[in-house]
Amino acid sequence: VNIAHTAPSITGFSSTKAGRSGDDGKASSHIQLTGVAEPHQIVSVFESLRPLGSVHANSSGAWAFTARNMEDGEHHFQLMGC
């Protein structure tokens, strides 16, 4: 029996300024990620291998996750589905 699984993927993103975070006063943003996965799959989101959280894909496989208080700059997100 072969069971094919499709890895979750990011299909879009947007960001909003969140102001300053922490004692260092660095600027931060909330980054909204959207994507697709297997229907009802749990999608775990990582940034540079640091776990940020997880979300359940809906019955169509669509999911959305907000990474909060991210420092301004370049980010590298990874996903894992289970």
Side-chain angles (χ1 to χ4, degrees):
V1 173
N2 288 333
I3 300 174
H5 292 282
T6 303
S9 62
I10 296 170
T11 58
F13 71 94
S14 63
S15 66
T16 57
K17 293 288 184 189
R20 304 284 173 189
S21 65
D23 295 331
D24 60 9
K26 290 184 180 179
S28 67
S29 298
H30 298 325
I31 302 172
Q32 172 82 32
L33 304 172
T34 56
V36 294
E38 294 283 329
H40 305 290
Q41 187 175 45
I42 297 171
V43 178
S44 297
V45 181
F46 300 83
E47 200 265 329
S48 298
L49 302 178
R50 181 174 57 101
L52 297 179
S54 61
V55 65
H56 285 87
N58 67 19
S59 61
S60 298
W63 59 267
F65 178 84
T66 301
R68 300 189 182 283
N69 298 319
M70 304 295 290
E71 287 187 12
D72 285 351
E74 188 173 308
H75 296 279
H76 300 275
F77 295 101
Q78 300 86 33
L79 306 174
M80 183 175 72
C82 60

